[in-house]
Each structure stands twice: as C-alpha cells, then as structure tokens.
Amino acid sequence: MACRNLVSTNMGVRFRVPLQKLHPLSRAIHHRYSGNSNPQRAPHRTAARYFTSMSRLPMRPPKPPPGSGGRSYQQQRGFWVARLAARLLKLRYILLGSAVGGGYTAKKTYDEWKDMLPDFSEYNWVIPDFVWELSEQIDFDKLAKALPEMEEIAKLLPDLDKIGENFTFLKSLLKYQRMLERLEKENKELRKVVLQKDDKGIHQRKVKKSLIDLYSEVLDILSDYDSNYNTQDHLPRVVVVGDQSAGKTSVLEMIAQARIFPRGSGEMMTRSPVKVTLSEGPHHVAMFKDSGREFDLTKEEDLAALRHEIELRMRKSVREGQTVSTETISLSVKGPGIQRMVLVDLPGVISTVTAGMASDTKETIFSISKAYMQNPNAIILCIQDGSVDAERSIVTDLVSQMDPQGKRTIFVLTKVDLAEKNLASPSRIQQIVEGKLFPMKALGYFAVVTGKGNISGESIDSIKDYEEDFFQNSRLLRDGMLKAHQVTTKNLSLAVSDCFWKMVRESVEQQADVFKASRFNLETEWKNNYPRLRELDRNELYEKAKNEILDEVISLSQVTPQHWESILQKKLWERVSTHVIENIYLPAAQTMDSGTFNTTVDIKLKQWTDKQLPHKALEVAWETLQEEFARFMAEYKGKDQDDIFDKLKEAVKDESIKRHKWNERAMDSLRVIQHNALEDRSITDKPQWDAAIQFMEETLQSRLKDTESVIRDMVGPDWKQRWWNWKNRTPEQHIRNETKNELERLLKLHDDHTAYLANDEVTTVRKNLEGRGVEVDPVLIKDTWHQLYRRHFLQNALSHCNLCKRGFYYYQRHFVDSELECNDVVLFWRIQRMLVITANTLRQQLTNTEVRRLEKNVKEVLDDFGEDMERKSHLITGRRVQLAEDLSKTHRFTAQ
C-alpha cells in the first residue's frame, strides 16, 4: 500500500522506494550495511574508542618534582601552554567522532525498525503501474530537502510540558477553591462569635458613618428636594420592580440575608416604596432612618418586631381611600458579608384591581414605578416569576419602555426550581436567560431560587443551601443551558453591587456640579430678598418658635397675685351677676318683708352653691388662664417677633388648651369654701359696710341703666331724637309708648305696688287705651309693666341704699328700724366676700398647679408637633421657609 512508503526519521520524512527500483550501487550499499548480513566493523567505532580514551587524560598540569628548586619557570610555562593547546585541538576529533557515532546509531535504529515491517511486495499488483512510473520520475532527494525540518514540525505540535503545567495549575486552583470555602465558613463562624460578644456589651463603640450610609443620607435629602431649580435627583439606586408575588421581596431578603419584610399569602404586602441601604458591618442589625432603635436580625423576636413596624408604617403612610402610598420608608441593614448598595423595593405591578382596592391602584403603581425607573442612572432589577407563563408578565413591557436598550437593567428569573419541574421544555428557561424570549434587553440575566416551594418560615441559610444543592444537581447547569456565573443570589448580589458602584462613580460628580450651581442660585435669591436674616430652615425655625412659646408660658408664673385676683373677681361677677340679681335679690326684695327676704336669700344661695357656683368659678378660672396665655403671646408678637410663627403659635395655644383638663378634685373644696363664705353675715367694720354699699350701688345703677335702655328700645325715640335725627316711632312702638304712659300713671297712684299686675288692673289699662283708640294685647301690657316696675324698684333700691350709708351703727347694735333695715346691703356684702375668697382660692390653684400643668401641656404639644413633619410643613410656610429648606439641603449635599 502507499502508506507503507512513508518513513519518519530524525531529519524529516522520506519516501521509501522498493529495492527493485533502486540503483545497483544503492542496492549494494543497502546489503552492505543492512541487518541481514554481518557487516564489517566500521572504522568510526575504532576512532570513537580512541577519542574516548583520550578524553580520560588529566587536564591539570603535574606538580614539579621535589628538589627541583623551581628551575626554569619560563620553560615549564611554555611546556604547559603547548600541551593545553594540543589538547584543545584534539577536541575537534572528539566532536567529529561523536557526530559520526550518533549518525551510525540512528541509521542502524532506522534499519532495524524498517526490517520489522512486513513484506508488502506480494501486494504490488494492487498499486497501479502509473504510480510506479511516477515514482521513477520523482527526485526523492530534492523532495526530501524541500520538506520541512523536524524542528519546524515539532513547533506545530502541542507542547506536552505546557499541557502538564496547565493540569498542575488547575489542580492547584481546585485546592485553593476548597481552602477559600473553608476560610469563608470559618470567617462566618468568627462573625457569629463577635455578634455574641457584642450582645454581652463588649463591643459598644460607635462606628463612623460609612460611604454607603452617607450616600443614603444624600438620597434622603434629595427625595423631597424642591424642583424649582431643575435639580432633579439623578443619583443611582437599585430599583426592584416586578409583578405582584413574583418574588421581589424574597430576592431583596436574600441579598440582605434576613427575613425583614412582612409576608402574606397572595395579598399585596408592599404598599409603599421601601429604601433599604445595605452595608457591611460586624453586627447584623437593621434601623429606621427616623428612629434610634436597632433590631438584632439574629433574634427572631426582633425580626418579628421589625416586620410588624414596617407593616404599621406602610399602613400609616396610605391615605384614607387609597391602597398604596408614594411615601418612602427608609431602612438600613448592616451585617457581615453584605454587599454595599441602596435598593428600593416598589409595590408589585398588578393587571387587575380586585375587591378592597382603590380604583386607581393600578395606575398609581405604574406611576410610582415609572417615577423611579425614569432616573437615567437608576439600575432596574427586573424580577420575573419563572413558575408562570412568560406571556403573563406585565413588568417586562414596562421595563422595556423605560430602558429600551437595556443598558441599566438586570433581569432575574425566580422560582427556577418550580420552573424546571413544571416546564416540559427546559430549553425555554435557556431562552429566557439568554434574552431571546422577552422583548426587553438587559445587561445580565440571572436565575435564582429564593424559597422551598410552599414551605414557609424557612431561614435564609437553609434557602441558600437548598439553592446551591439545586443548581449543582440541576440539568440546566449540567447540560450547559445556564452558566455558573448566572445562578444563585450570591452571584446576583455581587453583580448588582458592582454595577451600582460603577454607576455611582460615573454620575456622582456630574450631580455634584448641578447642585453646586443650584446652591449658587438659591444663595443669590436669599441675599436679594432676605439680606438681614439668617438662613434658618424649617426645623431651625421651629426650634426658635418653640423657645419663644416656652418663654411666653413661663411669663404666666410672673403674673402678680393681685392681678390674678382682680381679673378673676371681675370675670366671676360678670358671669354670676345676672343670676344673683334676677334669681336671688329681686325675688327676695320684692317680698317687702325682712324675714321673708332673709329666708329666701339663704335658700337660694344654698341651692346656687350646691349646683352652679363652683362650676361657674372653675370655668371662669380656666377662661382667665387662656386669656392671659393669649395676651402674653400677643404681647410677645408685638415685640419684634417674627410673624412667620403666628400660625404655629395659634395652633399650639389651641391644642394645649384642648388637652388641658382642670383638676376636678378642687371643685369639692371650692364648694365648701364658697358655702362658708356665703353663710357669714357678720360685717365687722365700717369700711366693709361702705364697700358693700358701693358694690350694691354700682350693681343697681348698672341694672337700672340696662333697664332704661330696654324701655327706650320698646317705646322708640322721644321728641328730641325725632326732631334732631328725623326718626319716627313704629306702630308697635307707638302702642308701647301709650301703654307705658298709662302704666306710669298707675305707679304714681300706687307707689308701693307689687311686682305683678292683677287681672282687673290689666283690664282697666286696656279699656283706657281703647278709649283713646289704641288696641293693645294683655301680654304686651304685662311685658311693659315688668320693665317699668323693674325701673321703679331699682330707683327705690338706690334711694334705700343711700339711706343705709348711715345704717352701720344700727346694724352693729341690732336696732330694729323698718326704715333702715339694710338686709340687701348684707346680701351684697356676702356676695362680695364670696367673690374675694373664691378669687383668692382660684388664684392659688392657678399659680401652684394649673400654670405648671399648662406649661407641661405646651411642651408636649411642641414635642408632638416637632415629630410631625407634615404638620410643621403646614404651620411654618412661605417662600422664605422653602428657600431656606432648599439651601439647607444643598449645603448638606455639597458637604457630603
């Protein structure tokens, strides 16, 4: 066969030609040196043996014989130089002999190998004759020289040494991988030990804020930043979006390494955006932005409390009649091995509004998702449920609209274990993670497992182990449908963190320049509009207003006792004077009998004290406290106070008064004091008597004045007013005026008439009026009589009061004189003394108790208002406040 003629040698590849075709001389050489005969010993073997013996000669010159005395050093030196040169010349024979011997050995090895081949000469008939003819025409020597040398062919062959080195390197990599896994487990155990020691109080030092914490604070500042200067927040964050129940929250929990979110079976749990700041720390803890409490995520009770708090905050943020809220809940999670990033978990996208939801829930969720995703630097973490049909996905269309090129989208396929079990064609999963099934594009595609099917309550560590075991045994990874870097939440978190910080580095400098320009614009506006005012933001203004209000409340304690008692006495008499005159004094005085007068007065005073007087007194005291509080606030307002606080002060005053409750136990003691004061009838000195008469005169004159005013309104203007003011009486006023004149004539005839008209007297008056052509109703007659008799009685009482000014002597000696019975003066003294004692008692309660309680209420209201940002924003408003707020935010941003 033809392949028999290809022979490999150390010098290359030659064609072997049958002996019958060789030249006769070549055949002779072949038989001469072939293995079939006994060749003569080649001469090069003798030469090789000679040169080998020569190589064993000593190369060092011999020592001179002893006793020579070092003669002829030059002769010895020349002799050794000559011998060295001769030996160097002999080296060429050694090299030549070695080359000849090596060539012969190679030739003999070739002949031995060739003779081992079977003789194929009997099969020459198989080869066509033209092949033999062609072989005679070919110059094989030239062909052999034209073929590449062996060294060149060896270069084309693989380097077995390097292959061996690669296998050794791979073996060492596997060894290092096992070492890394063991070190990670040891590191995890050490972190657990650190956490346990920290629980005992060993690690109590506060750590400075990390870079991710500062970055998160900047995002919080910008979340409610004023957009008047086009300084929209374009800083990166990871926005987690997905269909409802697609596993968004579970993915975030796997990244955070804790079950931190409330869970539900098929119902909407994420009702507002939740910003989670992840960072690495020695303790696995969580904390809200506006709270100092740390939740230990290694303890189940703290985890349950954290989930409950998140749920409460979500429900509180949702307004009445709504299902979801745009208010962001800020949470930070720290722990060993957690990747640093900021994620925002959004409510799940829904396709249908179900019962119990607001009608605009679907549109609101779309609006919230678009608001976060339209940020050109936001990383969109698109979560897709792998256990449901891909055609049912809503979020993929939404993401493709916001990021059509997929330059900032990372696609995550969840529940891959259920997908592999349920799908008849696992290659469909491969199409999803390769981006061939959905219309959207993405930077990367990941497949994760975040739960064990229907099993609930499993720990994060057990889910991680289950996820790793699943992918190690999954045919998706084994058959190459998924790549190793595309699976597990650990790889996902690493990829998301790298992408997040890359985006931060690319965008934060640009955003900083934008905010510096905005800061310059804001500062310029402030200098032009408010050059003499400090840049106080809403919180600083609130603290300033808080101090002013507290100063005003403290001023209440500086009110003098005389001022308190004077105000209380005046207001209390204004409140009870009508009852005293109408229900006590007039009914008793109109009896025209001294004994009946005193009995009636005592009974009515007792009833009044038991039922009404203490309540009226406390009402007066509480109103006086409110009025004084308002008066001090108004006085401070006039002392160069900032009018920007008016709305806040009014709200604090109203809320404090609303919360303040008077001590009801003081009512019983006040009733006893008032009762004892009214029972005393002993006027001990003339000044008290004169004061009582003065008090009585002032009261009666005030009542007489009011009565005369009522009568004037009843009868209309007199002739002077009609003349000067061109006014006329109405028909009713004309009738009343005629009735008044008729009744006055009756009083002149009967000066000591009783308070009531008899029926025959009413008939007489009516007939007299009818005789003059005036038709009058009996009710109108009695009503007019009441006011006329009241005026008549008060005039007589004032006259009697003047007579009693000299009646103290008779009163002190208990003389009985019908003309100077001054029981009405004693009544007014009793009332006056009760007013003084009640005012003194109320003043003590005010200064000792109620003012302090009001001050405490004001502090509580101020503290509550201070924690309510929405209320502060409503009470402290204006362009100045908003401008200061924006300046404060830009200062904090540029500083960080």
Side-chain angles (χ1 to χ4, degrees):
M1 296 177 65
C3 61
R4 174 172 176 251
N5 299 320
L6 283 174
V7 180
S8 176
T9 66
N10 292 334
M11 299 301 294
V13 179
R14 294 184 300 173
F15 283 94
R16 180 177 181 185
V17 183
L19 295 178
Q20 293 84 351
K21 302 296 183 178
L22 292 177
H23 194 274
L25 180 57
S26 300
R27 287 198 300 271
I29 294 173
H30 173 73
H31 288 296
R32 178 73 174 172
Y33 296 101
S34 64
N36 297 332
S37 62
N38 295 325
Q40 296 179 359
R41 182 173 296 177
H44 61 268
R45 292 185 179 180
T46 306
R49 186 180 299 111
Y50 172 76
F51 287 118
T52 302
S53 62
M54 289 291 293
S55 64
R56 290 195 293 267
L57 292 175
M59 299 299 294
R60 192 184 306 170
K63 296 180 181 180
S68 60
R71 48 193 159 121
S72 186
Y73 174 73
Q74 294 293 335
Q75 294 180 357
Q76 290 182 4
R77 180 180 180 185
F79 173 75
W80 288 113
V81 171
R83 292 192 62 182
L84 179 61
R87 292 191 178 185
L88 290 174
L89 291 174
K90 291 178 182 180
L91 289 174
R92 59 184 178 177
Y93 297 107
I94 297 174
L95 297 175
L96 179 61
S98 300
V100 173
Y104 174 76
T105 303
K107 180 65 172 60
K108 184 170 179 59
T109 303
Y110 162 72
D111 292 337
E112 292 177 354
W113 178 79
K114 181 184 67 176
D115 293 337
M116 292 172 62
L117 294 175
D119 188 6
F120 292 99
S121 60
E122 297 179 359
Y123 303 97
N124 288 340
W125 58 272
V126 179
I127 303 174
D129 294 337
F130 73 88
V131 176
W132 301 113
E133 294 175 359
L134 183 62
S135 64
E136 291 178 356
Q137 298 176 5
I138 296 175
D139 190 349
F140 290 99
D141 294 335
K142 293 183 179 179
L143 183 61
K145 293 178 180 179
L147 292 174
E149 297 296 333
M150 199 63 188
E151 290 83 355
E152 298 178 2
I153 296 176
K155 292 179 181 179
L156 299 176
L157 296 176
D159 192 347
L160 297 178
D161 294 337
K162 290 185 178 180
I163 293 176
E165 292 177 359
N166 290 335
F167 277 114
T168 305
F169 179 71
L170 290 175
K171 185 177 179 181
S172 62
L173 279 181
L174 293 175
K175 179 180 178 181
Y176 291 144
Q177 181 66 24
R178 287 192 291 269
M179 291 177 63
L180 285 175
E181 292 177 355
R182 179 174 55 83
L183 290 175
E184 286 181 356
K185 291 182 179 179
E186 293 179 356
N187 190 24
K188 188 175 182 180
E189 295 297 329
L190 288 174
R191 285 171 176 167
K192 288 183 178 179
V193 172
V194 172
L195 290 175
Q196 293 174 357
K197 291 182 177 180
D198 183 63
D199 292 337
K200 298 177 181 179
I202 295 177
H203 190 86
Q204 295 293 337
R205 292 181 299 175
K206 291 186 177 180
V207 183
K208 292 183 178 180
K209 291 184 178 179
S210 62
L211 177 62
I212 188 65
D213 293 329
L214 295 175
Y215 182 79
S216 178
E217 289 183 2
V218 171
L219 295 182
D220 291 333
I221 294 172
L222 300 180
S223 61
D224 55 350
Y225 192 78
D226 185 16
S227 59
N228 291 339
Y229 293 90
N230 297 321
T231 52
Q232 298 177 357
D233 173 17
H234 287 166
L235 289 177
R237 71 262 285 160
V238 182
V239 180
V240 185
V241 296
D243 298 330
Q244 185 178 349
S245 302
K248 300 185 292 73
T249 302
S250 298
V251 171
L252 204 153
E253 287 180 336
M254 291 291 289
I255 297 176
Q257 301 180 13
R259 292 291 194 191
I260 59 178
F261 291 104
R263 316 188 71 80
S265 178
E267 62 176 318
M268 179 182 292
M269 298 305 298
T270 305
R271 296 180 177 269
S272 65
V274 181
K275 181 175 74 68
V276 183
T277 304
L278 300 178
S279 59
E280 188 173 11
H283 321 292
H284 202 185
V285 295
M287 180 186 297
F288 290 99
K289 179 191 73 172
D290 55 354
S291 174
R293 178 185 176 183
E294 279 191 351
F295 296 88
D296 190 346
L297 301 183
T298 61
K299 299 179 179 179
E300 187 57 37
E301 55 270 20
D302 278 21
L303 278 171
L306 176 61
R307 291 191 291 266
H308 180 67
E309 180 67 20
I310 292 176
E311 184 175 4
L312 287 179
R313 287 174 178 254
M314 284 185 180
R315 296 188 180 277
K316 184 179 179 181
S317 66
V318 177
R319 296 181 179 178
E320 185 177 357
Q322 299 294 320
T323 306
V324 294
S325 170
T326 59
E327 183 178 342
T328 304
I329 299 174
S330 296
L331 178 70
S332 63
V333 177
K334 297 182 180 181
I338 296 180
Q339 298 299 318
R340 300 177 303 152
M341 67 186 92
V342 178
L343 302 100
V344 181
D345 186 21
L346 300 180
V349 179
I350 60 175
S351 58
T352 305
V353 177
T354 59
M357 292 185 180
S359 59
D360 62 343
T361 301
K362 179 179 177 181
E363 290 75 15
T364 304
I365 294 175
F366 269 82
S367 176
I368 295 174
S369 301
K370 288 182 179 180
Y372 278 91
M373 289 191 293
Q374 70 183 3
N375 178 2
N377 296 319
I379 302 169
I380 303 173
L381 197 63
C382 181
I383 310 298
Q384 172 63 34
D385 189 349
S387 63
V388 300
D389 295 335
E391 291 76 12
R392 295 168 55 185
S393 176
I394 306 173
V395 71
T396 51
D397 294 335
L398 180 61
V399 173
S400 61
Q401 294 175 10
M402 305 307 296
D403 185 24
Q405 301 300 322
K407 294 182 179 180
R408 52 190 181 89
T409 300
I410 297 177
F411 182 86
V412 181
L413 187 67
T414 61
K415 306 177 184 179
V416 182
D417 53 341
L418 300 179
E420 184 185 31
K421 184 187 302 183
N422 299 333
L423 289 179
S425 176
S427 60
R428 190 173 177 85
I429 298 178
Q430 183 180 6
Q431 292 178 343
I432 295 176
V433 297
E434 289 179 354
K436 298 179 180 179
L437 190 61
F438 290 109
M440 58 171 289
K441 299 179 181 179
L443 284 172
Y445 297 82
F446 289 86
V448 299
V449 175
T450 58
K452 300 179 182 179
N454 297 325
I455 302 176
S456 60
E458 63 270 21
S459 64
I460 297 295
D461 293 335
S462 63
I463 296 176
K464 284 183 178 181
D465 297 337
Y466 172 74
E467 184 184 39
E468 292 179 0
D469 294 341
F470 167 76
F471 283 116
Q472 287 179 359
N473 301 320
S474 174
R475 58 176 295 190
L476 297 173
L477 199 63
R478 186 173 62 249
D479 296 345
M481 298 181 186
L482 297 176
K483 297 179 177 60
H485 68 273
Q486 289 183 303
V487 298
T488 71
T489 51
K490 181 178 180 181
N491 290 335
L492 170 65
S493 61
L494 291 172
V496 174
S497 178
D498 291 342
C499 185
F500 169 77
W501 285 109
K502 180 181 178 182
M503 194 77 75
V504 169
R505 286 191 296 270
E506 293 175 354
S507 61
V508 70
E509 291 295 334
Q510 180 182 1
Q511 285 288 301
D513 294 338
V514 171
F515 276 92
K516 287 179 181 178
S518 173
R519 175 180 175 179
F520 175 79
N521 295 335
L522 294 172
E523 289 177 344
T524 302
E525 182 180 355
W526 182 273
K527 290 177 181 178
N528 293 332
N529 295 315
Y530 313 103
R532 297 183 179 181
L533 296 177
R534 291 176 55 200
E535 300 172 4
L536 300 179
D537 60 14
R538 183 172 281 108
N539 291 329
E540 292 172 332
L541 287 172
Y542 183 81
E543 291 299 322
K544 181 180 178 181
K546 179 179 178 181
N547 294 331
E548 290 184 8
I549 294 173
L550 292 177
D551 290 341
E552 294 164 7
V553 176
I554 293 175
S555 300
L556 286 175
S557 61
Q558 300 175 359
V559 177
T560 61
Q562 294 80 8
H563 181 73
W564 278 119
E565 293 181 10
S566 175
I567 296 175
L568 288 169
Q569 186 173 345
K570 180 181 179 181
K571 290 182 67 65
L572 181 59
W573 175 239
E574 291 175 356
R575 182 66 56 87
V576 302
S577 60
T578 301
H579 181 85
V580 170
I581 299 299
E582 302 295 334
N583 297 332
I584 299 177
Y585 171 66
L586 289 178
Q590 291 172 0
T591 60
M592 301 300 180
D593 183 75
S594 176
T596 306
F597 177 87
N598 292 330
T599 303
T600 304
V601 166
D602 291 342
I603 293 174
K604 289 185 177 293
L605 287 178
K606 179 69 168 56
Q607 294 174 349
W608 182 46
T609 307
D610 292 340
K611 296 180 179 180
Q612 299 180 13
L613 183 58
H615 294 280
K616 295 291 185 181
L618 292 183
E619 289 178 2
V620 167
W622 178 219
E623 291 176 2
T624 304
L625 180 61
Q626 297 178 34
E627 291 176 0
E628 287 299 299
F629 181 34
R631 182 177 67 84
F632 274 98
M633 295 185 72
E635 289 179 357
Y636 270 87
K637 179 180 177 181
K639 296 179 181 179
D640 298 329
Q641 295 298 310
D642 202 334
D643 56 359
I644 204 170
F645 301 144
D646 292 349
K647 199 173 182 180
L648 173 63
K649 290 183 177 181
E650 191 68 22
V652 171
K653 183 192 73 173
D654 294 341
E655 183 65 22
S656 301
I657 291 173
K658 181 179 177 182
R659 294 186 184 185
H660 186 82
K661 300 297 181 183
W662 198 275
N663 187 4
E664 298 294 337
R665 293 179 298 179
M667 186 178 296
D668 296 333
S669 59
L670 181 62
R671 181 181 290 108
V672 174
I673 293 173
Q674 291 174 335
H675 189 272
N676 294 334
L678 290 173
E679 282 188 344
D680 189 5
R681 298 183 181 88
S682 302
I683 304 176
T684 58
D685 53 18
K686 185 69 166 55
Q688 293 183 10
W689 182 269
D690 294 340
I693 291 177
Q694 182 181 359
F695 176 56
M696 179 179 174
E697 282 183 340
E698 293 175 354
T699 303
L700 295 178
Q701 287 175 355
S702 175
R703 293 295 166 178
L704 178 59
K705 185 178 179 181
D706 294 340
T707 303
E708 289 179 345
S709 177
V710 172
I711 294 173
R712 282 195 301 268
D713 293 338
M714 291 173 60
V715 301
D718 57 8
W719 66 272
K720 292 182 180 179
Q721 292 176 342
R722 291 196 304 270
W723 176 262
W724 290 105
N725 299 329
W726 294 86
K727 291 182 178 181
N728 294 321
R729 291 191 177 106
T730 63
E732 182 180 359
Q733 289 176 343
H734 177 71
I735 295 173
R736 283 191 177 272
N737 184 62
E738 293 295 332
T739 305
K740 177 181 78 72
N741 295 333
E742 185 68 24
L743 292 175
E744 284 179 346
R745 284 193 291 269
L746 178 63
L747 278 176
K748 287 181 180 180
L749 295 175
H750 305 282
D751 186 65
D752 57 348
H753 199 285
T754 61
Y756 303 99
L757 279 176
N759 291 332
D760 56 346
E761 291 176 330
V762 173
T763 303
T764 301
V765 172
R766 184 164 62 86
K767 287 181 178 182
N768 293 337
L769 292 173
E770 288 177 354
R772 292 198 298 268
V774 179
E775 295 290 336
V776 63
D777 186 75
V779 176
L780 186 144
I781 297 174
K782 292 181 179 180
D783 186 31
T784 307
W785 168 260
H786 175 72
Q787 297 299 330
L788 293 175
Y789 182 82
R790 181 186 180 88
R791 182 181 63 178
H792 174 72
F793 179 83
L794 291 174
Q795 290 174 349
N796 291 335
L798 283 173
S799 299
H800 181 70
C801 185
N802 288 328
L803 294 175
C804 288
K805 289 182 179 179
R806 56 185 178 84
F808 178 71
Y809 174 79
Y810 299 99
Y811 166 78
Q812 194 175 25
R813 287 161 177 75
H814 304 286
F815 290 163
V816 179
D817 189 344
S818 59
E819 293 183 0
L820 290 178
E821 287 183 355
C822 299
N823 294 318
D824 48 358
V825 176
V826 176
L827 170 63
F828 277 92
W829 178 81
R830 294 165 69 181
I831 297 296
Q832 187 181 38
R833 185 169 182 271
M834 182 274 299
L835 293 175
V836 172
I837 294 175
T838 301
N840 181 269
T841 304
L842 293 176
R843 188 267 306 170
Q844 293 181 18
Q845 186 175 357
L846 281 172
T847 56
N848 296 336
T849 306
E850 302 304 329
V851 170
R852 295 179 182 178
R853 291 180 65 232
L854 178 62
E855 182 179 352
K856 181 180 179 181
N857 289 338
V858 171
K859 290 181 180 179
E860 292 177 354
V861 170
L862 289 171
D863 292 339
D864 293 342
F865 283 9
E867 295 177 357
D868 192 344
M869 292 300 301
E870 183 177 357
R871 180 169 289 184
K872 282 198 296 186
S873 301
H874 176 70
L875 295 176
I876 303 178
T877 58
R879 179 56 191 159
R880 168 188 159 192
V881 181
Q882 190 60 52
L883 188 60
E885 281 283 292
D886 295 341
L887 277 170
S888 175
K889 292 172 183 176
T890 54
H891 291 164
R892 288 157 60 189
F893 175 78
T894 53
Q896 292 179 354

